[in-house]
Amino acid sequence: AGGGSIDSQITAVGDEIRTLKEKLKVEGLSGKKINDHDEVKKLVAQLQELKEGAEAAPAAPVAAPAAPAAAAPCAPPAAEGGSVDAQITAVGEQIRALKEKLKGEGLSGKKINDHDEIKTLVAQLTELKAQGGAGGAAPAKATLPTPPAPAAGGGDIEAQITGVGDEIRSLKEKLKG
């Protein structure tokens, strides 16, 4: 691999991608054109290879993934009294909190997204967005909070990767609008 730990390489490539995308955005390219740019594709492929390398050689064994099964109770959409937008926000916050907890227990991105509770909450969120989307121009997008910045000085690399991914998705949504 050359030069530094996998974690620092992942961070460096992620920073390169952000910098390049920002530069391309300033040059007037839109989300799809930015993502189709050869240099962006090359860096994304490099980042994915690094992530796969990090997952193939985990620093610590993965803790029992079934343990957090009762961590975040899933409230049915009708059970919460607030508006659909408030419910969307609440479920989104539940998903983020559960993902952080699972990351802390050593699970990686794909394993987290394949977790039964995450799938249930995402399905619930999708249904809420469908309910809220019928009445206007995608109110769910307006309620999404800005993802937290990756922790300075190291921290959990999976959390940083997810944070960067969330930031990229957020920027793409802004570029589409």
Side-chain angles (χ1 to χ4, degrees), residues 21-93:
K21 283 188 170 191
E22 195 60 39
K23 179 183 149 213
L24 294 172
K25 180 181 172 186
V26 168
E27 292 175 4
L29 293 181
S30 65
K32 175 110 175 93
K33 289 179 182 175
I34 289 173
N35 289 338
D36 289 342
H37 192 276
D38 289 336
E39 200 171 336
V40 171
K41 284 182 178 180
K42 182 185 89 169
L43 288 171
V44 168
Q46 182 180 354
L47 182 63
Q48 289 172 341
E49 286 177 24
L50 288 170
K51 286 181 186 179
E52 288 170 9
E55 288 178 9
V62 175
C74 300
E80 292 196 25
S83 70
V84 174
D85 287 348
Q87 292 176 36
I88 289 170
T89 302
V91 173
E93 288 171 2

Side-chain angles (χ1 to χ4, degrees), residues 2-154:
S5 72
I6 291 178
D7 293 350
S8 63
Q9 291 176 28
I10 289 171
T11 302
V13 173
D15 290 344
E16 273 187 74
I17 292 170
R18 277 190 299 284
T19 302
L20 177 59
K21 283 188 170 191
E22 195 60 39
K23 179 183 149 213
L24 294 172
K25 180 181 172 186
V26 168
E27 292 175 4
L29 293 181
S30 65
K32 175 110 175 93
K33 289 179 182 175
I34 289 173
N35 289 338
D36 289 342
H37 192 276
D38 289 336
E39 200 171 336
V40 171
K41 284 182 178 180
K42 182 185 89 169
L43 288 171
V44 168
Q46 182 180 354
L47 182 63
Q48 289 172 341
E49 286 177 24
L50 288 170
K51 286 181 186 179
E52 288 170 9
E55 288 178 9
V62 175
C74 300
E80 292 196 25
S83 70
V84 174
D85 287 348
Q87 292 176 36
I88 289 170
T89 302
V91 173
E93 288 171 2
Q94 279 184 308
I95 291 170
R96 280 186 287 284
L98 180 57
K99 281 187 172 188
E100 282 302 315
K101 181 175 187 235
L102 294 173
K103 284 177 205 163
E105 293 176 1
L107 294 181
S108 64
K110 174 107 175 90
K111 291 177 185 174
I112 289 173
N113 289 337
D114 288 342
H115 192 274
D116 289 337
E117 269 190 278
I118 294 292
K119 286 182 177 181
T120 303
L121 286 170
V122 168
Q124 183 179 349
L125 181 62
T126 303
E127 185 168 322
L128 284 170
K129 285 183 176 181
Q131 291 174 10
K141 288 183 182 175
T143 63
L144 291 177
T146 303

